[in-house]
Amino acid sequence: MDLNKIHPDQKYIDGLAANDSVVIEMIYKKFAPKAVQFITNNSGDKDQAQNVIQEIMILLFSQAKAGKLQLTCPFDAYFFLLCKRRWLKELKNSANEEVTIYENVVSVNESAHELIAQTEEFEEEQKRYGQENRSEIAEERVAFEENLTKISDKYFNKKRNKAVSLKPWYFAAAISIIVMFGLFFFDYRHYPNFEDYNHPESAYFTERGVSEAILKQAENNFNGKRYETAIPIFEMILKENNSDEIKYFYAVSLLQVSKYVKAENIFKELEAGNSVYKEKAKWNLALSKLKQGKYKECKAILQTISQDYEDYDDVEQLSEELE
């Protein structure tokens, strides 16, 4: 394949092959909504849409790791067409003759159709000859699927309950401790934990008027959870660009390292304005109170968050746990 024809969107394929969480989250935010809309408009639901998207992502990961996927068209058209064809195939296999298709027309060039054919051929080969048999690729695939499931569940607002099994003598010991310390201890353990709700979104800065290299440093350190390193970089950027986006991620970094006063002052400032980060600021302000064990204040803030907030399911769940 002529390397000059490789599309700039190859970055998404390379990101999938590298199990890059930032790229995977970006694909969900930018490209998944169209696939979800198509599936839910054509006899499917969100659970089925989630499954289809995950299957396609895993397929692209496998093809990329095999060195057999070089993008020659926009990722958007390619990804959507793969999801669409997968869903129509599932509908056909279900033998549901009453299905009515409401299709959004998406123009795709000849290169996209060629890539689709290559990907579907690759999938058939996997089915015939088995999937990755090299141990290192198999391990990478397991790691990718685990990461993908976590990001997918977050996007679709799902929480997977962790099952905890106790051996009989562990259970007896636990009961003894509860009896020993009384009802007060039991009630204390009932309160939700900050870490259960601490899932900062990834940063992807597109600010202008600031050095791209400095923005990239802030972005990489924040996404890598190196908050202590990210904080002084954010402070440097804010001297040149006092945007709500930079202030928001700066405040989240401060919260992560328990600098509550500074973080809360910024969240309150964002909350008071009409920023797109208004509801997110309220949520993080509530998390700050939760982290400090100020449960009543946390609950009061949760009650002010709009139901239009994208992660309102978390707001409701935390409110219930604080009852």
Side-chain angles (χ1 to χ4, degrees):
M1 183 177 292
D2 185 355
L3 292 178
N4 293 324
K5 293 184 179 180
I6 295 179
H7 196 278
D9 282 357
Q10 177 71 25
K11 63 185 180 183
Y12 296 113
I13 302 301
D14 295 341
L16 287 173
N19 194 11
D20 188 324
S21 297
V22 174
V23 172
I24 296 172
E25 289 178 355
M26 201 183 307
I27 290 173
Y28 271 100
K29 289 180 180 179
K30 294 180 68 173
F31 308 118
K34 189 187 296 183
V36 173
Q37 182 181 27
F38 178 83
I39 292 170
T40 54
N41 283 346
N42 292 285
S43 304
D45 56 32
K46 285 192 174 182
D47 286 339
Q48 291 167 313
Q50 181 181 15
N51 291 337
V52 166
I53 291 170
Q54 281 188 266
E55 289 173 7
I56 294 301
M57 298 270 261
I58 293 169
L59 173 59
L60 296 183
F61 167 83
S62 299
Q63 190 178 4
K65 293 300 289 185
K68 298 181 179 179
L69 183 53
Q70 292 184 316
L71 206 61
T72 55
C73 67
F75 184 83
D76 187 10
Y78 172 63
F79 180 74
F80 174 73
L81 191 55
L82 278 171
C83 292
K84 170 187 167 184
R85 289 169 68 90
R86 175 62 59 95
W87 178 240
L88 293 179
K89 183 177 180 180
E90 290 190 15
L91 286 180
K92 182 179 178 181
N93 291 339
S94 69
N96 186 351
E97 298 178 0
E98 300 300 322
V99 170
T100 302
I101 303 299
Y102 301 99
E103 181 176 353
N104 290 327
V105 177
V106 177
S107 61
V108 289
N109 56 31
E110 184 178 347
S111 179
H113 285 292
E114 291 176 358
L115 277 174
I116 295 294
Q118 291 174 16
T119 297
E120 292 181 342
E121 182 180 350
F122 174 81
E123 185 175 24
E124 288 303 315
E125 288 179 357
Q126 279 195 314
K127 291 177 180 177
R128 283 197 300 269
Y129 304 115
Q131 296 175 343
E132 302 94 345
N133 51 20
R134 285 191 298 163
S135 60
E136 64 271 21
I137 293 181
E139 290 175 3
E140 288 177 355
R141 176 177 167 130
V142 170
F144 175 78
E145 290 185 12
E146 289 178 351
N147 191 32
L148 178 66
T149 298
K150 181 172 66 175
I151 295 172
S152 177
D153 284 349
K154 181 180 177 182
Y155 177 79
F156 284 94
N157 291 318
K158 286 187 175 179
K159 295 188 180 296
R160 296 179 184 264
N161 295 324
K162 295 181 180 178
V164 180
S165 60
L166 290 176
K167 294 180 179 179
W169 67 273
Y170 278 151
F171 183 75
I175 292 296
S176 298
I177 292 172
I178 291 173
V179 172
M180 184 183 300
F181 285 94
L183 189 58
F184 171 78
F185 180 79
F186 181 81
D187 285 342
Y188 172 78
R189 297 298 297 172
H190 171 72
Y191 285 116
N193 189 290
F194 168 75
E195 292 302 331
D196 292 337
Y197 292 91
N198 182 37
H199 309 295
E201 63 185 292
S202 296
Y204 183 64
F205 300 127
T206 56
E207 296 292 333
R208 295 185 179 182
V210 180
S211 165
E212 185 177 337
I214 295 176
L215 282 172
K216 199 64 181 176
Q217 285 181 39
E219 182 182 303
N220 289 341
N221 280 292
F222 182 90
N223 293 337
K225 302 185 186 304
R226 296 181 293 275
Y227 302 111
E228 290 282 9
T229 305
I231 287 172
I233 301 175
F234 281 127
E235 291 172 346
M236 186 188 312
I237 295 171
L238 285 168
K239 292 178 181 178
E240 300 181 36
N241 188 326
N242 196 33
S243 72
D244 289 340
E245 180 182 28
I246 299 299
K247 284 193 288 190
Y248 171 75
F249 284 100
Y250 172 49
V252 172
S253 298
L254 291 169
L255 172 57
Q256 297 303 311
V257 298
S258 303
K259 295 184 178 179
Y260 304 115
V261 176
K262 279 188 176 181
E264 290 185 8
N265 284 339
I266 298 173
F267 289 137
K268 288 176 182 177
E269 180 184 342
L270 293 171
E271 176 192 4
N274 294 315
S275 165
V276 294
Y277 293 95
K278 183 183 181 75
E279 301 303 323
K280 291 182 179 182
K282 291 180 185 178
W283 169 246
N284 279 276
L285 192 55
L287 289 184
S288 178
K289 300 302 183 185
L290 176 63
K291 190 175 183 181
Q292 298 172 72
K294 298 178 179 179
Y295 304 114
K296 289 184 179 179
E297 292 180 47
C298 175
K299 185 175 180 180
I301 295 169
L302 292 174
Q303 292 172 348
T304 69
I305 299 178
S306 168
Q307 293 185 10
D308 294 331
Y309 173 53
E310 59 189 32
D311 290 324
Y312 194 72
D313 286 350
D314 287 339
V315 175
E316 289 184 310
Q317 181 164 334
L318 179 53
S319 297
E320 288 177 6
E321 290 190 40
L322 288 170
E323 290 293 342

